[in-house]
Amino acid sequence: QARLDGERRLIIDALRCLAGFAFEVSDLDQCERYATEGLVLATGPKLAPERAEILIALSATQASRGQLAAAQLLYSGASGVPSWK
């Protein structure tokens, strides 16, 4: 299980980086796809910090689209993760 969690962390981190790159080049749709894929993988308490980082990426995407209520909700979800503050 520890090895599987480590592999999932690596994949989630790669997806977060790809989402960040897509965000930087203003490809919000691709950013959202990468972040959503990472969010699907980031389940369980051991992956809570990774989940928080992915929620931040999704929050930035929503804010850039002018969907501020959705962005705030996602950011609140990230800041509510005990290991992420």
Side-chain angles (χ1 to χ4, degrees):
Q1 183 64 33
R3 181 176 177 208
L4 180 61
D5 284 347
E7 290 172 0
R8 285 175 58 195
R9 277 190 178 91
L10 182 64
I11 294 167
I12 293 164
D13 190 47
L15 289 166
R16 182 187 52 79
C17 290
L18 288 168
F21 177 74
F23 184 83
E24 289 295 319
V25 298
S26 299
D27 189 347
L28 299 180
D29 291 336
Q30 188 62 50
C31 177
E32 188 171 12
R33 282 190 290 273
Y34 285 136
T36 300
E37 189 175 343
L39 193 59
V40 168
L41 294 173
T43 59
K46 290 183 180 180
L47 297 172
E50 288 79 6
R51 182 174 180 81
E53 290 178 5
I54 291 291
L55 286 170
I56 294 298
L58 282 171
S59 175
T61 301
Q62 297 303 320
S64 294
R65 290 185 168 148
Q67 298 172 347
L68 301 181
Q72 187 176 20
L73 183 64
L74 289 166
Y75 186 82
S76 295
S79 62
V81 174
S83 317
W84 182 80
K85 287 184 183 177

